[in-house]
Amino acid sequence: MSKPNPIELQKYLAGVDYPAQRDDLVRAAERNGADEGTLSVVRGLPDRTYDGPSGVSKEI
């Protein structure tokens, strides 16, 4: 699976209050209309706390 575009990813994660857990990121992506490919990538992130958008992008 290809990585989502970082700008699009952050659009789908809008409204997340960091630090955030993976489940928070998944809920935000679902709420913001992320496509299945992006949702799959976000769901596949390690289950840990992310301090901000750059941490999420780095993990992906």
Side-chain angles (χ1 to χ4, degrees):
M1 167 147 318
S2 64
K3 293 192 246 182
N5 174 312
I7 295 169
E8 288 290 311
L9 177 63
Q10 293 312 314
K11 179 180 85 172
Y12 294 134
L13 297 180
V16 171
D17 290 325
Y18 291 95
Q21 299 291 320
R22 179 189 61 201
D23 290 344
D24 299 324
L25 302 175
V26 171
R27 280 192 294 276
E30 290 172 339
R31 180 180 63 244
N32 291 319
D35 59 81
E36 278 304 314
T38 300
L39 283 172
S40 178
V41 169
V42 175
R43 288 178 182 134
L45 288 169
D47 189 11
R48 66 177 187 83
T49 301
Y50 294 89
D51 292 327
S54 63
V56 176
S57 293
K58 182 179 175 185
E59 190 68 50
I60 290 176

